[in-house]
Amino acid sequence: MSPAPENATEYDPQLHRWPHCVSAHQITRSVFELIQKRAAQMLDQLEKRDWSRMHGELFDNIPRQSLANTITAGLILEPSTRTQTSFNVAAARLGSSPQVQMIDPARTSMGKAERWDTTVRVLCQYHPDAFVLRTPHVEQAYQAAALFGDYTGSHHPNTDKSWGVFINAGNGSDQHPTQALLDMFAIHKVCGTINGLRILIAGDIGRARTVNSLLIALAQAAIDSTIVIVAPVIDGYELSPPAHVMHKLDEANLNVQVAQVRTRDEFVDLARQADVGYWTRLQVERYRDELPPSFAAANASLIQLSPELLDQTEILAFHPMPYTDEVCREVEGHHQVMFLKQAGWGVPVRMALLELAILHPKQLRDAFEQDTRESA
Ligand code: NCD
């Protein structure tokens, strides 16, 4: 069994509170619908813009610059391509100055022994309208969320607009809520729904924050879907999902199966029955020495998304990217493979999130509270 990752999310409703976007625990059904609908409008506007540019016209007022005179700042303290760029593009499209920077933590003040909470207190003093953080340390995101929450809360308790919106763009192996929003948007866009689907989860069910976040968000937002979690068993070593994620799924309106898989045929059978497959790379950097040496290669061939698998199934394949050996390069561009479109939809989804969180925080809070009242 894979040991539990350190510091798994303790869900604290006071901290995981809109307009801050701290974890997938905040993505309930009405919240997803609100963001999904706004993101679909954003996507429509972006497509109109592309269409008009293709025809030699430049509609520079599409989409509307609703976040003019705001600043979307952020620190990305771990590798990132999509998340950093798509936040900057999303902010810029809405007229918010994009300042989400990638930086090696050793080159920040922490490299000069500053404590993390002091760094964040300083960042609060700059009054960004939104602050995006990616960190390898699970707890750093929660400390930053608390400090941004205290600071903005104590200064503007009743305003209808918000500033200092904290957005968790990935904290260690724990959470990546904006990716979960994007993944559900992509599934919804392609399948027309997130309900009543058979969704296969393969790749890294133990340490991928994308998987944790997607499962928690599906548990709260989807109805009557079946989630099949592929637990590879290789040389007696087995990956297993974190207990808090399983607990969340157990409480949900979903059918959940954890399928131990030892052979390729078993995997292909599961893929044949699924509508949607969500693959991830094995997060090797998050296991240190715990994985048996041959595990990564054996896992990749067990669950690999190959042209043959696509021929044998009707599965629609999603992946947060980057992909490694769990995906054959040749499948890129295949009509069942959604990765590139999915990545592209990161821009309208993050536009919708930024706009709602900064301009319409009450809508997010009301949507969340309506769902929590109903489920109480
Ligand atoms: C993911 C991440 O950083 O968790 N990347 C992303 O944001 N699209 C997935 C990964 O690194 O495997």
Side-chain angles (χ1 to χ4, degrees):
M1 292 288 246
S2 52
E6 293 157 40
N7 306 321
T9 319
E10 280 278 328
Y11 170 55
D12 171 359
Q14 289 310 315
L15 188 63
H16 301 226
R17 195 171 143 78
W18 293 109
H20 306 292
C21 180
V22 182
S23 79
H25 291 280
Q26 294 169 255
I27 309 173
T28 58
R29 192 166 308 143
S30 304
V31 168
F32 173 64
E33 278 169 17
L34 180 66
I35 297 174
Q36 181 272 324
K37 287 205 174 84
R38 189 66 189 123
Q41 289 167 351
M42 295 292 189
L43 178 59
D44 188 51
Q45 293 181 359
L46 291 172
E47 285 174 349
K48 283 202 177 96
R49 186 176 194 281
D50 288 346
W51 189 90
S52 56
R53 291 188 74 168
M54 239 162 13
H55 291 78
E57 301 164 43
L58 185 59
F59 287 137
D60 55 4
N61 59 343
I62 296 180
R64 199 167 65 82
Q65 303 263 291
S66 56
L67 294 181
N69 300 320
T70 68
I71 294 178
T72 298
L75 284 182
I76 301 286
L77 304 173
E78 266 195 327
S80 171
T81 307
R82 276 155 283 277
T83 305
Q84 184 206 12
T85 311
S86 62
F87 262 113
N88 280 330
V89 171
R93 287 275 183 237
L94 293 175
S96 181
S97 296
Q99 301 288 342
V100 182
Q101 307 174 46
M102 193 185 318
I103 183 163
D104 174 354
R107 296 180 57 221
T108 69
S109 295
M110 286 180 290
K112 300 185 223 168
E114 184 167 74
R115 285 194 343 226
W116 175 243
D117 60 318
T118 308
T119 302
V120 176
R121 283 195 175 89
V122 171
L123 296 169
C124 288
Q125 299 295 324
Y126 300 149
H127 302 197
D129 296 275
F131 189 82
V132 177
L133 174 72
R134 170 171 287 187
T135 164
H137 302 295
V138 173
E139 284 308 322
Q140 280 189 348
Y142 297 123
Q143 283 167 356
L147 290 165
F148 269 96
D150 285 353
Y151 195 63
T152 56
S154 62
H155 284 70
H156 287 265
N158 298 317
T159 182
D160 192 34
K161 311 256 185 297
S162 41
W163 60 283
V165 168
F166 173 79
I167 298 176
N168 179 4
N171 60 329
S173 59
D174 189 24
Q175 284 289 311
H176 195 349
T178 68
Q179 183 70 43
L181 283 168
L182 147 58
D183 294 337
M184 292 209 303
F185 177 87
I187 294 170
H188 186 279
K189 172 96 184 125
V190 173
C191 303
T193 181
I194 56 167
N195 303 326
L197 298 172
R198 194 171 175 90
I199 304 176
L200 187 73
I201 307 283
D204 189 338
I205 56 167
R207 299 284 164 93
R209 56 194 174 198
T210 52
V211 171
N212 287 345
S213 302
L214 178 62
L215 289 177
I216 290 171
L218 284 171
Q220 298 188 146
I223 310 170
D224 290 338
S225 282
T226 300
I227 312 285
V228 182
I229 300 176
V230 175
V233 185
I234 297 167
D235 292 338
Y237 185 87
E238 179 187 331
L239 287 189
S240 55
H244 73 282
V245 175
M246 284 314 293
H247 178 67
K248 192 80 203 172
L249 287 168
D250 286 345
E251 289 176 339
N253 209 338
L254 301 170
N255 309 307
V256 180
Q257 270 177 40
V258 179
Q260 291 190 326
V261 173
R262 292 179 172 77
T263 65
R264 176 73 179 166
D265 286 349
E266 285 171 354
F267 181 73
V268 174
D269 271 351
L270 292 174
R272 267 209 193 92
Q273 297 161 39
D275 303 302
V276 163
Y278 185 82
W279 273 261
T280 54
R281 86 187 157 86
L282 191 66
Q283 312 280 300
V284 281
E285 72 277 24
R286 307 217 190 272
Y287 286 88
R288 299 192 198 93
D289 300 330
E290 298 149 54
L291 287 176
S294 56
F295 190 89
N299 182 53
S301 36
L302 187 69
I303 59 151
Q304 196 174 52
L305 179 61
S306 61
E308 297 74 39
L309 184 81
L310 290 168
D311 286 346
Q312 290 169 286
T313 67
E314 290 180 12
I315 200 163
L316 295 167
F318 296 80
H319 196 304
M321 301 178 88
Y323 65 76
T324 53
D325 293 343
E326 75 286 356
V327 175
C328 288
R329 272 205 63 135
E330 294 69 49
V331 305
E332 245 184 46
H334 189 285
H335 67 275
Q336 285 164 253
V337 174
M338 301 299 152
F339 309 167
L340 293 180
K341 282 190 176 153
Q342 180 186 357
W345 292 330
V347 170
V349 170
R350 290 178 172 126
M351 286 168 73
L353 176 70
L354 287 170
E355 191 189 72
L356 282 163
I358 296 172
L359 295 185
H360 309 291
K362 193 169 176 314
Q363 290 186 26
L364 284 165
R365 274 199 294 262
D366 287 352
F368 180 79
E369 274 157 25
Q370 179 190 324
D371 289 342
T372 37
R373 250 197 324 271
E374 276 168 17
S375 66

Short mmCIF file of all heavy atoms in Angstrom, two decimals, residues 156-181:
data_model
loop_
_atom_site.label_atom_id
_atom_site.label_comp_id
_atom_site.label_asym_id
_atom_site.label_seq_id
_atom_site.Cartn_x
_atom_site.Cartn_y
_atom_site.Cartn_z
N HIS A 156 -12.44 44.85 4.66
CA HIS A 156 -13.65 45.10 3.85
C HIS A 156 -14.70 44.06 4.19
O HIS A 156 -14.99 43.19 3.39
CB HIS A 156 -13.33 44.99 2.35
CG HIS A 156 -12.55 46.15 1.82
ND1 HIS A 156 -13.15 47.23 1.23
CD2 HIS A 156 -11.23 46.38 1.81
CE1 HIS A 156 -12.21 48.09 0.86
NE2 HIS A 156 -11.04 47.60 1.21
N PRO A 157 -15.28 44.13 5.36
CA PRO A 157 -16.16 43.03 5.75
C PRO A 157 -17.40 42.89 4.89
O PRO A 157 -17.86 41.79 4.66
CB PRO A 157 -16.53 43.35 7.20
CG PRO A 157 -16.19 44.79 7.39
CD PRO A 157 -15.15 45.15 6.40
N ASN A 158 -17.97 43.99 4.40
CA ASN A 158 -19.28 43.87 3.76
C ASN A 158 -19.32 44.21 2.28
O ASN A 158 -20.37 44.27 1.69
CB ASN A 158 -20.30 44.78 4.47
CG ASN A 158 -20.44 44.34 5.91
OD1 ASN A 158 -20.52 43.14 6.16
ND2 ASN A 158 -20.42 45.28 6.83
N THR A 159 -18.16 44.48 1.72
CA THR A 159 -18.21 44.95 0.34
C THR A 159 -18.70 43.85 -0.59
O THR A 159 -18.51 42.67 -0.34
CB THR A 159 -16.83 45.45 -0.12
OG1 THR A 159 -16.97 45.92 -1.45
CG2 THR A 159 -15.80 44.37 -0.09
N ASP A 160 -19.29 44.28 -1.68
CA ASP A 160 -19.76 43.32 -2.65
C ASP A 160 -18.64 42.91 -3.62
O ASP A 160 -18.74 41.93 -4.32
CB ASP A 160 -20.94 43.94 -3.42
CG ASP A 160 -21.66 42.90 -4.23
OD1 ASP A 160 -21.71 41.75 -3.77
OD2 ASP A 160 -22.13 43.23 -5.32
N LYS A 161 -17.58 43.70 -3.65
CA LYS A 161 -16.44 43.35 -4.50
C LYS A 161 -15.34 42.83 -3.58
O LYS A 161 -15.31 43.17 -2.41
CB LYS A 161 -15.90 44.59 -5.23
CG LYS A 161 -16.97 45.39 -5.93
CD LYS A 161 -16.93 45.15 -7.42
CE LYS A 161 -17.88 46.02 -8.18
NZ LYS A 161 -19.29 45.79 -7.86
N SER A 162 -14.44 42.02 -4.12
CA SER A 162 -13.38 41.57 -3.22
C SER A 162 -12.01 41.90 -3.77
O SER A 162 -11.84 42.15 -4.96
CB SER A 162 -13.50 40.07 -2.94
OG SER A 162 -13.83 39.37 -4.08
N TRP A 163 -11.06 41.89 -2.91
CA TRP A 163 -9.67 42.07 -3.31
C TRP A 163 -8.86 41.12 -2.43
O TRP A 163 -9.37 40.58 -1.45
CB TRP A 163 -9.23 43.53 -3.13
CG TRP A 163 -9.35 43.99 -1.73
CD1 TRP A 163 -10.49 44.35 -1.08
CD2 TRP A 163 -8.30 44.09 -0.77
NE1 TRP A 163 -10.23 44.68 0.21
CE2 TRP A 163 -8.88 44.54 0.43
CE3 TRP A 163 -6.92 43.86 -0.82
CZ2 TRP A 163 -8.14 44.75 1.57
CZ3 TRP A 163 -6.19 44.09 0.32
CH2 TRP A 163 -6.79 44.52 1.50
N GLY A 164 -7.63 40.89 -2.83
CA GLY A 164 -6.83 39.94 -2.07
C GLY A 164 -7.45 38.56 -2.10
O GLY A 164 -7.37 37.81 -1.13
N VAL A 165 -8.05 38.21 -3.24
CA VAL A 165 -8.62 36.87 -3.39
C VAL A 165 -7.46 35.88 -3.47
O VAL A 165 -6.60 36.01 -4.34
CB VAL A 165 -9.45 36.78 -4.69
CG1 VAL A 165 -9.80 35.34 -5.02
CG2 VAL A 165 -10.69 37.64 -4.60
N PHE A 166 -7.44 34.90 -2.59
CA PHE A 166 -6.35 33.93 -2.59
C PHE A 166 -6.75 32.72 -3.43
O PHE A 166 -7.83 32.17 -3.24
CB PHE A 166 -6.02 33.49 -1.16
CG PHE A 166 -5.03 32.37 -1.15
CD1 PHE A 166 -3.68 32.63 -1.33
CD2 PHE A 166 -5.45 31.05 -1.03
CE1 PHE A 166 -2.76 31.59 -1.38
CE2 PHE A 166 -4.53 30.01 -1.07
CZ PHE A 166 -3.19 30.29 -1.24
N ILE A 167 -5.87 32.32 -4.34
CA ILE A 167 -6.18 31.16 -5.18
C ILE A 167 -5.06 30.13 -5.06
O ILE A 167 -3.89 30.43 -5.34
CB ILE A 167 -6.36 31.58 -6.66
CG1 ILE A 167 -7.56 32.55 -6.76
CG2 ILE A 167 -6.57 30.35 -7.55
CD1 ILE A 167 -7.80 33.11 -8.14
N ASN A 168 -5.44 28.93 -4.64
CA ASN A 168 -4.46 27.84 -4.52
C ASN A 168 -4.30 27.18 -5.90
O ASN A 168 -5.21 26.55 -6.41
CB ASN A 168 -4.99 26.82 -3.49
CG ASN A 168 -4.06 25.64 -3.31
OD1 ASN A 168 -2.97 25.60 -3.90
ND2 ASN A 168 -4.48 24.67 -2.51
N ALA A 169 -3.11 27.33 -6.46
CA ALA A 169 -2.85 26.75 -7.79
C ALA A 169 -2.02 25.48 -7.66
O ALA A 169 -1.25 25.13 -8.55
CB ALA A 169 -2.15 27.78 -8.67
N GLY A 170 -2.17 24.80 -6.53
CA GLY A 170 -1.46 23.53 -6.31
C GLY A 170 -0.59 23.62 -5.08
O GLY A 170 0.28 24.48 -5.00
N ASN A 171 -0.88 22.75 -4.08
CA ASN A 171 -0.02 22.70 -2.89
C ASN A 171 0.40 21.26 -2.65
O ASN A 171 -0.39 20.43 -2.21
CB ASN A 171 -0.72 23.31 -1.66
CG ASN A 171 -2.01 22.62 -1.26
OD1 ASN A 171 -2.71 22.10 -2.10
ND2 ASN A 171 -2.32 22.64 0.02
N GLY A 172 1.64 20.96 -2.99
CA GLY A 172 2.17 19.61 -2.81
C GLY A 172 1.25 18.59 -3.45
O GLY A 172 0.71 18.82 -4.54
N SER A 173 1.06 17.48 -2.77
CA SER A 173 0.23 16.41 -3.35
C SER A 173 -1.23 16.58 -2.95
O SER A 173 -2.04 15.69 -3.17
CB SER A 173 0.73 15.05 -2.90
OG SER A 173 0.68 15.00 -1.49
N ASP A 174 -1.58 17.74 -2.39
CA ASP A 174 -2.89 17.86 -1.76
C ASP A 174 -4.00 18.34 -2.68
O ASP A 174 -4.93 17.60 -2.99
CB ASP A 174 -2.73 18.78 -0.54
CG ASP A 174 -3.95 18.82 0.33
OD1 ASP A 174 -4.73 17.87 0.30
OD2 ASP A 174 -4.13 19.82 1.05
N GLN A 175 -3.95 19.60 -3.10
CA GLN A 175 -5.09 20.22 -3.78
C GLN A 175 -4.69 21.02 -5.01
O GLN A 175 -3.60 21.61 -5.05
CB GLN A 175 -5.79 21.18 -2.80
CG GLN A 175 -6.61 20.46 -1.77
CD GLN A 175 -7.86 19.84 -2.37
OE1 GLN A 175 -8.61 20.47 -3.09
NE2 GLN A 175 -8.08 18.56 -2.09
N HIS A 176 -5.59 21.05 -5.98
CA HIS A 176 -5.41 21.88 -7.18
C HIS A 176 -6.82 22.22 -7.67
O HIS A 176 -7.27 21.74 -8.71
CB HIS A 176 -4.62 21.07 -8.22
CG HIS A 176 -4.06 21.87 -9.35
ND1 HIS A 176 -4.40 23.18 -9.60
CD2 HIS A 176 -3.19 21.51 -10.33
CE1 HIS A 176 -3.74 23.59 -10.68
NE2 HIS A 176 -3.00 22.60 -11.13
N PRO A 177 -7.54 23.05 -6.88
CA PRO A 177 -8.97 23.22 -7.17
C PRO A 177 -9.27 23.85 -8.53
O PRO A 177 -10.30 23.52 -9.13
CB PRO A 177 -9.45 24.14 -6.03
CG PRO A 177 -8.23 24.77 -5.47
CD PRO A 177 -7.12 23.82 -5.69
N THR A 178 -8.40 24.73 -9.03
CA THR A 178 -8.74 25.34 -10.33
C THR A 178 -8.59 24.31 -11.45
O THR A 178 -9.28 24.38 -12.46
CB THR A 178 -7.92 26.62 -10.63
OG1 THR A 178 -6.54 26.28 -10.83
CG2 THR A 178 -8.03 27.62 -9.50
N GLN A 179 -7.70 23.33 -11.25
CA GLN A 179 -7.59 22.25 -12.24
C GLN A 179 -8.86 21.39 -12.19
O GLN A 179 -9.37 20.95 -13.23
CB GLN A 179 -6.35 21.41 -11.96
CG GLN A 179 -6.12 20.30 -12.97
CD GLN A 179 -5.70 20.79 -14.36
OE1 GLN A 179 -4.87 21.69 -14.46
NE2 GLN A 179 -6.25 20.21 -15.42
N ALA A 180 -9.39 21.16 -10.99
CA ALA A 180 -10.62 20.36 -10.89
C ALA A 180 -11.77 21.06 -11.60
O ALA A 180 -12.56 20.43 -12.31
CB ALA A 180 -10.98 20.10 -9.43
N LEU A 181 -11.84 22.39 -11.45
CA LEU A 181 -12.89 23.14 -12.16
C LEU A 181 -12.73 22.97 -13.66
O LEU A 181 -13.70 22.74 -14.39
CB LEU A 181 -12.80 24.63 -11.80
CG LEU A 181 -13.34 25.03 -10.43
CD1 LEU A 181 -12.91 26.45 -10.09
CD2 LEU A 181 -14.86 24.91 -10.41
#
